[in-house]
Amino acid sequence: MRILVTGGAGYIGSHTVRHLLKHGHTVSVYDNLSRGHSAAVNASILTQGDLLDSARLDHVMATNQIEAVIHFAAFAQVGESTKNPEIYYRNNVVGTISLIEAMKRNKITKMVFSSTCATYGIPTVVPIVEETPQKPINPYGKTKLMVEWILKDMCASHKWSCASLRYFNAAGASPDGDIGEDHSPETHLIPLAIAAAIGKSKPLEIFGNDYPTPDGTCIRDYIHVDDLANAHRLALEKAIPGEHLCLNLGTGKGSSVHEILDAVREVTGHAVPFSIGPRREGDPPALVASSKKAQLRLGWEASHKNIRDIIATAWRWHQSHPDGYKKG
Ligand code: UFG
């Protein structure tokens, strides 16, 4: 298939681009590089452009005879979204409408969308199934839910085939260490814990140890980025006209913050220095996915199930790229 990947120079996008190429698809990447890295993709397939630039979108879609879109391009920091909601609504929602309009002009009717478990808010029951009520508690989660609604309507009204993939905590890196996670600022637990372990940054602050969990710290379902990439490909290949398929993607197994720090110590050989801080606003105590529906519908299953193996790939990326994509 000839696929346009928006946000393909970002963390999950770049892993998906590699995966699609390995599986014989033809890929064009569209990224404004405001958060992505040109070094994460081959320059020959990258167009630098913004979702709001309709003319450029039309040009890329037409010249590459695009048949389907995988849509990652979005801002994805929960904290930032609560401080500046308007840039989230503009980039994530208005940007997606612009993309959808370009698809319609170019007669492209298939999209796989990067959604999130943040659309569920604070669930009352875990593991979370797709029917769990979606009640996002921050603007980031709300923007993703709004796009899900738009896609649902596009499928109903225009027989589009869409999938919204709700990922839990994306983690790890390509096992060869060539591409990986490089956010600025970095806010995610695993890269921060690795940096703290090797003395590159200050001790890790654990955001609260008084949650109703066995060790008092938050539990998350960490899913390897290559497993997410595989699910995007499968969702596209198995898309059905008129259907908006919503799927959770996780391992079904939760790890607490303390368990992550233990695993980082085992993998790196360095203990993670830490302090206990207050809870971070908007952090649910536990988020764990049921991915039974993804298994049933796509035949998908996480292949990296062990948190140490996932962290080992992040560690390899860190060792080969200590400053991320910045060439030192
Ligand atoms: N944590 C710390 N200290 C830190 C960083 C994180 O204790 O310095 C804790 C958090 O409180 C949380 C866990 O580690 O319990 C994981 O935090 P991350 O920031 O790595 O990930 P989140 O669970 O906050 O965020 C992820 C995705 C978001 C998505 C969200 C849904 O990155 O895009 O899940 O809850 F919106």
Side-chain angles (χ1 to χ4, degrees):
M1 228 181 286
R2 289 182 298 274
I3 304 167
L4 181 72
V5 181
T6 74
Y11 172 43
I12 307 171
S14 58
H15 287 78
T16 303
V17 167
R18 273 188 150 206
H19 178 89
L20 293 168
L21 291 170
K22 246 184 237 161
H23 282 80
H25 292 289
T26 302
V27 179
S28 305
V29 171
Y30 192 81
D31 197 304
N32 68 6
L33 298 180
S34 71
R35 310 229 162 153
H37 304 274
S38 56
V41 289
N42 192 313
S44 65
I45 59 169
L46 173 66
T47 299
Q48 186 172 354
D50 200 273
L51 292 177
L52 296 168
D53 186 342
S54 306
R56 191 167 288 242
L57 272 177
D58 278 340
H59 180 74
V60 169
M61 287 174 177
T63 52
N64 295 291
Q65 296 172 289
I66 295 298
E67 296 167 294
V69 172
I70 302 185
H71 178 34
F72 293 100
F75 291 153
Q77 286 176 27
V78 171
E80 182 187 51
S81 80
T82 58
K83 286 193 193 91
N84 293 305
E86 69 287 356
I87 68 166
Y88 273 68
Y89 287 103
R90 181 163 183 78
N91 193 51
N92 296 5
V93 182
V94 182
T96 302
I97 293 171
S98 165
L99 175 67
I100 286 171
E101 287 170 344
M103 286 172 67
K104 194 150 182 271
R105 283 192 299 275
N106 289 275
K107 304 195 169 27
I108 303 163
T109 59
K110 264 188 206 168
M111 186 199 278
V112 174
F113 171 59
S114 161
S115 189
T116 169
C117 66
T119 59
Y120 292 112
I122 302 182
T124 47
V125 182
V126 288
I128 299 170
V129 293
E130 287 77 0
E131 292 70 34
T132 298
Q134 289 176 288
K135 295 181 180 168
I137 55 167
N138 51 61
Y140 166 65
K142 290 176 190 169
T143 64
K144 292 285 181 173
L145 183 54
M146 285 180 178
V147 172
E148 285 196 13
W149 287 340
I150 297 170
L151 295 182
K152 187 176 178 203
D153 288 342
M154 293 306 290
C155 292
S157 303
H158 300 298
K159 285 263 174 296
W160 280 27
S161 336
C162 298
S164 291
L165 304 184
R166 300 174 187 154
Y167 344 131
F168 284 62
N169 286 55
S174 174
D176 59 16
D178 282 353
I179 55 173
E181 189 168 11
D182 181 0
H183 296 114
S184 184
E186 188 52 78
T187 60
H188 294 106
L189 178 62
I190 293 172
L192 288 177
I194 288 175
I198 58 173
K200 210 175 154 188
S201 64
K202 57 184 176 42
L204 183 101
E205 181 181 351
I206 294 181
F207 297 142
N209 66 349
D210 58 351
Y211 283 96
T213 60
D215 67 22
T217 63
C218 285
I219 291 174
R220 295 287 181 271
D221 184 342
Y222 296 87
I223 171 83
H224 194 274
V225 63
D226 281 342
D227 282 324
L228 294 178
N230 186 32
H232 286 78
R233 176 182 62 85
L234 292 170
L236 207 53
E237 289 174 355
K238 294 177 188 255
I240 297 172
E243 182 184 46
H244 177 228
L245 180 64
C246 296
L247 298 175
N248 289 341
L249 299 175
T251 63
K253 192 178 167 296
S255 303
S256 72
V257 177
H258 275 306
E259 285 169 340
I260 294 295
L261 301 198
D262 286 346
V264 169
R265 174 177 47 75
E266 283 175 43
V267 168
T268 64
H270 301 278
V272 182
F274 66 87
S275 62
I276 304 292
R279 291 182 178 197
R280 184 173 65 177
E281 200 188 331
D283 263 345
L287 292 172
V288 179
S290 162
S291 296
K292 283 198 184 120
K293 190 174 170 192
Q295 193 171 5
L296 200 73
R297 289 297 310 270
L298 304 182
W300 177 89
E301 204 181 345
S303 63
H304 299 259
K305 287 203 175 111
N306 182 310
I307 190 63
R308 270 177 300 281
D309 296 344
I310 295 175
I311 291 173
T313 64
W315 175 227
R316 209 166 303 140
W317 156 251
H318 185 86
Q319 286 176 301
S320 58
H321 295 77
D323 297 313
Y325 286 104
K326 237 181 279 139
K327 301 284 173 289

